[in-house]
Amino acid sequence: MDDDRLKALLSQEISSALTYDDTELSQKRSKALEYYRGEMTDTPAMTGRSSVVSKDVADTIGWMLPGIIRVFTASDRMAIYEPEKPGDEEFAKQATDYVNYVFMKDNPGYRIMWDATHDSLLLGNGIVKHWWDDKEECDYSKHSGLTEEQIAILQQDQSVEVVAQKVGEPQFILVPGPTGQLIEQQIATYDVKVKRVISSGRLKVECIEPEDFLLDRAATQIENARFCAHRQDTTRSDLIEMGFDRELVEGLPIDRFSSVQQEKISRDQDTRTFFNNVGDNSMLQVELLECYVKADVDGDGVAETIRAFYAGGPGTGELLDWE
């Protein structure tokens, strides 16, 4: 399977998933959001009479939600690894400490649980995504008056990189001369800008909006789904920073109507059509889909799971990368 065939396959799968979502799921989620806000547009008021308003959905979810969350947060450990054989005790303890730290401390675990559970009660599905984010977190600092020896010592740290350098003001020191008398000696110094890598990657967990999660019509669970995808609006600048080809990214069509989805309008009545055509070219938003699709790549008749990044919308988009 080459890039062109995979691109065509993804375009078909995205179009099919969007059609299924728009015809089967979107209207139900939109109605649930309106009911949550007390609006019952499907029960029109008679002429001269008050409109029907009911907050039963919000009251019921508000009553149920704290009790569900309490099940997971009553203990200081929401997940525990059990040792499977003798000698695993220390590893299981470390794994338990690690997973609880990553979810509850390194990520906003309580908020993720609350949002996902709220979505599941209101909209039928609460979608939680987890992935390894390999984006570097860097700290930049400037130093002046450093000698060549000091710069060499600084660069011995593998997490440090000198990204800019210029000649600084010379320094004068007293050193013993041939006769033993102290004489002045000029030393060259440099002003440098240093990048220090704080973290080269971390595990991230995030609750995503159900309308931004696509699934094929026949799927009953994510693990065996033929196709699933996470849809998001991102800037061209972010795509280039993620490592995608700049020329390809700059040729992508922008998502001009990124906030006219039915659920977004139902969630916020102040939402208006957002024309995404104002701003610097690098900050215009593009629709990006992180897709997982099953297809026979190597021609052995057995489908493999492919992760692919597709941007620009079905039919007009481009395949950025896949593995």
Side-chain angles (χ1 to χ4, degrees), residues 203-224:
L203 188 65
K204 297 194 71 173
V205 188
E206 184 178 277
C207 179
I208 64 177
E209 296 172 341
E211 63 261 31
D212 289 332
F213 179 71
L214 303 180
L215 202 64
D216 71 84
R217 183 184 296 268
T220 56
Q221 54 184 330
I222 296 174
E223 286 74 14
N224 62 5

Side-chain angles (χ1 to χ4, degrees), residues 239-288:
L239 290 176
I240 295 173
E241 190 176 2
M242 290 169 66
F244 298 125
D245 181 72
R246 177 178 177 180
E247 183 178 353
L248 187 61
V249 169
E250 290 181 345
L252 293 172
I254 61 175
D255 187 10
R256 296 183 180 275
F257 309 104
S258 60
S259 64
V260 293
Q261 293 178 10
Q262 189 172 358
E263 293 93 330
K264 294 186 184 297
I265 297 174
S266 298
R267 187 179 289 112
D268 183 4
Q269 59 186 177
D270 293 329
T271 300
R272 298 290 183 267
T273 301
F274 171 63
F275 295 97
N276 174 36
N277 56 8
V278 179
D280 183 74
N281 184 62
S282 65
M283 295 306 295
L284 296 181
Q285 291 186 331
V286 175
E287 187 177 67
L288 174 68

Side-chain angles (χ1 to χ4, degrees), residues 116-148:
T117 307
H118 187 278
D119 285 347
S120 66
L121 292 172
L122 178 61
L123 306 175
N125 279 325
I127 309 299
V128 177
K129 177 183 177 182
H130 60 91
W131 74 102
W132 182 263
D133 183 11
D134 56 6
K135 185 183 297 183
E136 290 185 346
E137 296 181 12
C138 303
D139 179 40
Y140 290 87
S141 59
K142 294 181 179 180
H143 307 270
S144 58
L146 298 185
T147 63
E148 293 182 355

Side-chain angles (χ1 to χ4, degrees), residues 34 124 139 162 165 175 183 195 202 221 232 250 258 261 271 303:
E34 291 174 356
D139 179 40
V162 177
Q165 178 177 312
V175 298
I183 60 174
K195 179 178 79 170
R202 56 188 289 257
Q221 54 184 330
Q232 55 188 313
E250 290 181 345
S258 60
Q261 293 178 10
T271 300

